[in-house]
Amino acid sequence: MIEIKKGGKYTVLSNSGKDEPLITEGEFVGYTIIGEEGAVCFRTRGEDGKSVLRLIPVSNLISIEFSEDELVTKKAEGNEREKTNYIS
């Protein structure tokens, strides 16, 4: 199983409601819920250069690009339940 890791730097393409996809380059913060839909949260730079959090609904994701160093590929074996990080 491939997972993105908290604190990793990623480039995300997502639907933006315009003709062109939205490109987000930033640090993965965690998962959250927008209404009834799951979303991923990234810390990035706003148009004014300040740090902002961007929530991207999972249904809008096109791709997530990352290097081999920025992913977790092996989980510890055992009966441990999968963990999901939520922000609020």
Side-chain angles (χ1 to χ4, degrees):
M1 174 176 249
I2 295 176
E3 296 179 40
I4 59 176
K5 63 183 175 182
K6 211 172 191 179
K9 305 288 185 190
Y10 301 93
T11 301
V12 180
L13 265 64
S14 60
N15 292 318
S16 65
K18 299 179 183 176
D19 291 338
E20 307 253 339
L22 177 66
I23 299 172
T24 301
E25 294 179 354
E27 173 189 349
F28 178 66
V29 176
Y31 301 94
T32 191
I33 303 292
I34 301 175
E36 296 180 359
E37 184 174 4
V40 290
C41 182
F42 288 86
R43 180 172 285 113
T44 187
R45 296 275 174 212
E47 291 180 13
D48 59 0
K50 292 183 180 180
S51 179
V52 297
L53 293 177
R54 180 171 293 165
L55 302 178
I56 304 170
V58 172
S59 64
N60 286 7
L61 290 175
I62 297 172
S63 69
I64 300 176
E65 299 174 359
F66 47 86
S67 70
E68 290 287 330
D69 296 337
E70 293 296 340
L71 65 104
V72 177
T73 55
K74 191 157 193 147
K75 288 190 163 229
E77 292 186 26
N79 290 341
E80 190 175 332
R81 292 180 11 181
E82 291 198 27
K83 296 178 183 173
T84 303
N85 295 318
Y86 290 97
I87 60 169
S88 58

